[in-house]
Amino acid sequence: MVLTVYFDMLSQPSRSVLLFCEVNKIPYEKKVTHVGGGDNRTEEFQAINPVMRVPAIKDGDFVLSESAAILKYLAAKHNTPDHWYPKDIQKRAKVDQYVAWHHMNTRENSIRVFWTEVIIPMMRGREVDQARLERQLPALEETIDRLEQVYLKDQQFLCGDDITIADILAVPELMQLYGAGRNVTENHPKLTAWIERVKNKLQPWFDEFHTPLYKMRQKRLKGEKAKL
């Protein structure tokens, strides 16, 4: 039975699942599903995930979508090191607490800014709506403050002193903003140090899977300089 991961490398949750598979040496096959090219709307993919979003997995006859559910499933099935999704109910509850908060905070507020700065201008061929962006940035800054002041207040990772699925979900969201040319870590030393710790835990795959964003950042910054 072969695990197949359907992904788009520009999808933050897709990178989370791929990183988890690699760092835990989980055998899998990659199935590129280019959302921008409409691969997620094919009949083949809709049979895997009717809501047409990546990532998704097919494990034998079993199919599953939603990155948090996928990570928990893989952790259980492959008996990954306990720190990823602890068996201790209180430690696990802390991970679940962050994951529940993540979707309406780290993910939502990051992706809104990314869409405003990158996706919408690219799709519509026009400049960034600065008024819209200014309305969105305070929520992003509040999220970053919460990450530092609550989740990273006195510990190395979001849910303790070792990496969990919470960290592997969170950092790719912030890296999306890095790709847009934004420095979310500026004036946030705890956030900066935490991201570096997570990256170091996930190398060499972290840099490999984020290469499209590194290239995007270089291109966007070069474009900004050309406007000056």
Side-chain angles (χ1 to χ4, degrees):
M1 183 168 62
V2 178
L3 172 69
T4 302
V5 178
Y6 297 79
F7 73 97
D8 184 328
M9 202 61 85
L10 287 177
S11 155
Q12 307 90 305
S14 288
R15 297 195 300 272
S16 297
V17 171
L18 294 175
L19 285 166
F20 189 80
C21 288
E22 292 287 357
V23 75
N24 286 291
K25 297 179 173 56
I26 297 172
Y28 72 103
E29 291 183 352
K30 294 179 180 178
K31 180 70 172 179
V32 177
T33 307
H34 184 27
V35 174
D39 293 350
N40 58 315
R41 296 184 178 277
T42 63
E43 289 186 11
E44 176 190 359
F45 185 73
Q46 288 186 57
I48 301 298
N49 186 7
V51 301
M52 298 180 289
R53 293 182 179 177
V54 290
I57 63 170
K58 188 172 189 295
D59 194 15
D61 294 327
F62 179 68
V63 295
L64 188 65
S65 60
E66 298 299 329
S67 55
I70 292 170
L71 293 175
K72 293 175 183 180
Y73 169 78
L74 294 176
K77 177 171 182 180
H78 294 274
N79 194 29
T80 59
D82 190 67
H83 63 83
W84 286 109
Y85 193 50
K87 293 181 176 62
D88 179 277
I89 60 171
Q90 293 184 352
K91 291 180 179 179
R92 176 171 289 198
K94 285 294 185 181
V95 176
D96 288 335
Q97 173 183 269
Y98 173 79
V99 171
W101 184 83
H102 171 85
H103 292 285
M104 296 297 291
N105 291 275
T106 309
R107 176 157 175 74
E108 180 171 325
N109 292 322
S110 296
I111 203 169
R112 282 184 175 180
V113 170
F114 184 78
W115 267 75
T116 298
E117 288 193 304
V118 178
I119 302 299
I120 294 175
M122 182 177 64
M123 291 175 61
R124 299 180 181 176
R126 63 192 191 193
E127 295 295 315
V128 173
D129 184 336
Q130 293 296 332
R132 177 190 177 106
L133 180 61
E134 290 302 316
R135 291 195 299 270
Q136 294 171 335
L137 288 175
L140 175 62
E141 188 62 28
E142 181 179 353
T143 291
I144 291 172
D145 286 342
R146 291 285 175 85
L147 287 172
E148 281 204 315
Q149 297 169 13
V150 177
Y151 290 98
L152 297 169
K153 181 180 179 181
D154 53 8
Q155 54 193 22
Q156 298 290 297
F157 295 90
L158 293 179
C159 301
D161 289 323
D162 207 344
I163 192 169
T164 70
I165 63 170
D167 304 282
I168 211 170
L169 283 169
V171 170
E173 299 292 343
L174 300 176
M175 291 302 295
Q176 204 80 354
L177 296 171
Y178 179 84
R182 182 166 291 279
N183 292 320
V184 295
T185 60
E186 188 174 9
N187 299 320
H188 292 286
K190 285 187 177 181
L191 192 79
T192 302
W194 163 65
I195 291 174
E196 287 303 311
R197 283 192 291 271
V198 173
K199 288 171 67 173
N200 289 336
K201 289 276 191 178
L202 301 175
Q203 296 292 18
W205 308 285
F206 189 94
D207 283 342
E208 177 185 343
F209 294 158
H210 285 87
T211 294
L213 288 168
Y214 297 157
K215 291 181 178 179
M216 179 189 295
R217 180 181 178 84
Q218 292 174 350
K219 184 178 180 180
R220 288 180 64 82
L221 292 179
K222 184 177 180 180
E224 289 299 319
K225 289 181 179 179
K227 293 179 182 179
L228 297 177

